[in-house]
Amino acid sequence: MNYNEAYELLKAKNQLHILRYYDELDNEGKESLLKQISDIDFSILDNLHAKEEKKESTIVPIKAMMLEDIEKKRDEYKSAGLKAIKAGDLALVLLAGGQGTRLGFDGPKGTLNVGETKDMFIFQLLVEHTLDVVHESGTWIHFFIMTNVKNHEQTTTFFREHDYFGYNRDYIHFFRQEMVPSTDFDGKILLEDKGRICLSPNGNGGWFSSLERAGLMDTIVKDNIKWINVFSVDNVLQGIADPVFLGAVLKEGYVSGGKVIKKADPHERVGVLCMKDGKPFIVEYYELSEEMAYEKNERGEYAYNYGVTLNYMFPVDKLMNLLDKKMPLHVVKKKVPYINNEGELVKPEEPNGYKFETLALDMIGYMETCLPFEVVREKEFAPIKNATGVDSIETAKALLVKNGYTL
Ligand code: UTP
């Protein structure tokens, strides 16, 4: 794309400000900016104006498999899960492509050290949880790690420098997710430098297609992997490759599963697994009506009482079907550093723009069934989202200590 073509395109799209500093760039910078412009998928901006189709839908709760149900069949589930793991049926996908803007930590979130007297990095904890299952099953489990263009180098270097925390290097695979431009609240694409468009990761819902684009499907197919346990980077206590979870999904004949926790109160800010128009669906806390929040089931408990923890079990064959589907793109308000009209870098304290993201939770809707599998909240839910307060470094550290860790 040459300058004139870029100019015409941006004029038509009402985004001419992107060329504001073009003349100040050296030749390499000019070329790079033109390339970035030609790479922009402008169709994502349509999502800013898309009116949500108001469709009547029916949402009903799904009965969670509760702790006492699981306890009764723990041995049976565990041996089924371990059998599948030993057969090489399970692989893992760690979602580490987020930018962690709420935490505000400078670096990939997984490199955060929560130790006090010794190193205890988030990545290290997640690998160590997995190693427990590797040792128990006597089987190495493929461990895929999704990064983004900006944190890829730091993430891979970090793992290498820490010798993969004792994991078998041959079973660790990194892949990058795609990036999309961010805009201000008026829909203008932001610049992060005079010659660089603000790009942000395209959400955690595209992990399977990014994995495929990275050429990693060969490993999945060659090793005949049937299940993928996908999970977030920030929950430092979660059970990964949990044989009881996998065994419960298998034994009870569910298509997929999600680890859930009992909500602290009816309005806790977590999504709830339910059924919408006959398909599994996660209703976000802000979509939960007052009536639904307090609805009781036949056991006399809140019907929408189990929140998702971003730890899912998906079957590979169903994920394959998803590859040609267009996942819904969500418009999310976030803090996006940008350069202003004076060419100065601004690091906003409050959300100032939109990012466009697909969400892993939308994948649930493509599965016929999804098992809400309860885990003990205090033992498996310690997410680090914020620097202080709720779901923060402090709360996660306190839970680690409560679970016997010496920080
Ligand atoms: P969050 O929803 O917490 O988003 O991600 P985030 O970007 O990490 O953090 P904030 O909202 O800016 O503070 C949940 C999980 O999904 C991953 C994150 O790394 C985390 O494990 N994720 C999120 C991706 O892998 N890619 C993305 O584009 C977004």
Side-chain angles (χ1 to χ4, degrees):
M1 176 172 280
N2 62 30
Y3 177 84
N4 287 341
E5 286 164 342
Y7 183 92
E8 287 309 320
L9 175 67
L10 295 178
K11 193 172 161 201
K13 301 289 178 193
N14 213 6
Q15 301 282 352
L16 263 183
H17 63 284
I18 294 176
L19 290 170
R20 180 180 289 136
Y21 303 105
Y22 184 82
D23 290 338
E24 295 179 34
L25 303 174
D26 60 16
N27 282 345
E28 207 180 311
K30 285 180 174 154
E31 209 173 298
S32 154
L33 183 59
L34 293 178
K35 164 89 176 67
Q36 293 167 59
I37 294 167
S38 71
D39 284 347
I40 298 174
D41 172 4
F42 285 98
S43 71
I44 61 153
L45 302 182
D46 298 343
N47 291 274
L48 285 174
H49 316 292
K51 289 264 168 300
E52 243 193 65
E53 226 183 291
K54 278 269 174 268
K55 222 172 64 191
E56 277 305 306
S57 54
T58 313
I59 294 182
V60 292
I62 334 182
K63 192 169 161 290
M65 179 183 270
M66 290 158 63
L67 295 174
E68 54 265 39
D69 308 324
I70 298 167
E71 221 30 63
K72 281 186 213 136
K73 290 183 155 187
R74 171 171 292 275
D75 293 347
E76 186 193 336
Y77 292 157
K78 189 166 180 177
S79 77
L82 280 175
K83 189 169 163 217
I85 292 169
K86 284 181 187 166
D89 289 354
L90 181 70
L92 309 172
V93 172
L94 162 57
L95 302 172
Q99 291 183 305
T101 51
R102 283 170 288 173
L103 183 61
F105 172 66
D106 196 16
K109 204 187 257 192
T111 64
L112 179 81
N113 193 352
V114 293
E116 287 170 3
T117 58
K118 58 184 176 191
D119 285 342
M120 198 182 279
F121 302 102
I122 295 185
F123 281 141
Q124 177 182 358
L125 283 164
L126 300 179
V127 169
E128 285 174 0
H129 299 331
T130 312
L131 280 173
D132 290 345
V133 183
V134 166
H135 294 143
E136 192 172 12
S137 63
T139 313
W140 286 106
I141 304 168
H142 284 288
F143 198 124
F144 297 93
I145 302 173
M146 182 165 84
T147 62
N148 65 51
V149 173
K150 291 182 182 172
N151 72 15
H152 185 81
E153 202 50 45
Q154 259 180 296
T155 304
T156 52
T157 305
F158 186 80
F159 268 90
R160 197 171 53 246
E161 284 174 356
H162 291 91
D163 210 9
Y164 303 90
F165 300 107
Y167 213 81
N168 184 339
R169 170 70 190 97
D170 296 343
Y171 283 78
I172 295 206
H173 318 270
F174 296 96
F175 65 101
R176 294 182 188 83
Q177 68 179 106
E178 284 74 42
M179 307 288 277
V180 287
S182 310
T183 70
D184 66 14
F185 289 149
D186 294 325
K188 297 277 190 228
I189 292 175
L190 291 163
L191 290 173
E192 64 179 15
D193 206 343
K194 293 184 174 174
R196 265 206 328 270
I197 287 169
C198 261
L199 294 175
S200 65
N202 63 347
N204 59 22
W207 61 269
F208 194 67
S209 41
S210 298
L211 189 142
E212 192 234 13
R213 260 194 289 276
L216 289 169
M217 205 59 85
D218 291 355
T219 308
I220 307 250
V221 172
K222 182 169 65 59
D223 284 14
N224 199 14
I225 292 165
K226 298 191 178 72
W227 291 91
I228 296 186
N229 179 200
V230 57
F231 54 94
S232 68
V233 72
D234 42 52
N235 181 3
V236 294
L237 274 178
Q238 65 190 314
I240 298 162
D242 179 347
V244 185
F245 179 32
L246 175 58
V249 173
L250 286 168
K251 279 279 168 188
E252 303 302 335
Y254 280 84
V255 172
S256 62
K259 283 196 168 184
V260 298
I261 42 146
K262 195 174 260 180
K263 291 200 308 192
D265 64 76
H267 286 296
E268 187 179 355
R269 295 157 77 103
V270 285
V272 174
L273 243 172
C274 57
M275 294 298 274
K276 182 178 176 182
D277 300 332
K279 288 199 181 128
F281 178 73
I282 290 166
V283 56
E284 287 289 6
Y285 65 89
Y286 48 83
E287 294 166 337
L288 204 66
S289 66
E290 199 66 7
E291 193 187 329
M292 282 162 81
Y294 289 99
E295 187 180 322
K296 297 267 177 89
N297 62 19
E298 71 287 350
R299 292 188 280 206
E301 293 152 346
Y302 292 122
Y304 297 91
N305 205 21
Y306 292 91
V308 285
T309 64
L310 222 180
N311 186 315
Y312 300 109
M313 197 65 79
F314 287 117
V316 170
D317 55 352
K318 300 280 175 192
L319 290 170
M320 297 271 193
N321 295 340
L322 260 178
L323 284 174
D324 55 8
K325 303 262 186 325
K326 216 170 160 55
M327 301 264 297
L329 206 58
H330 298 258
V331 182
V332 195
K333 284 186 183 172
K334 295 243 181 175
K335 292 183 254 180
V336 190
Y338 68 102
I339 56 162
N340 62 17
N341 291 346
E342 285 69 50
E344 298 149 351
L345 180 68
V346 182
K347 288 190 171 176
E349 297 287 324
E350 294 299 324
N352 62 312
Y354 295 122
K355 291 188 179 179
F356 300 85
E357 302 190 334
T358 57
L359 300 179
L361 57 82
D362 283 322
M363 294 174 127
I364 294 288
Y366 297 93
M367 309 288 139
E368 288 85 3
T369 56
C370 184
L371 169 69
F373 178 88
E374 187 185 4
V375 293
V376 181
R377 189 179 174 114
E378 304 244 296
K379 289 192 180 159
E380 280 215 33
F381 191 58
I384 299 180
K385 297 282 188 192
N386 306 301
T388 53
V390 183
D391 296 341
S392 64
I393 303 175
E394 292 139 37
T395 55
K397 278 185 176 187
L399 282 164
L400 281 165
V401 170
K402 214 167 179 177
N403 280 280
Y405 287 79
T406 307
L407 299 181

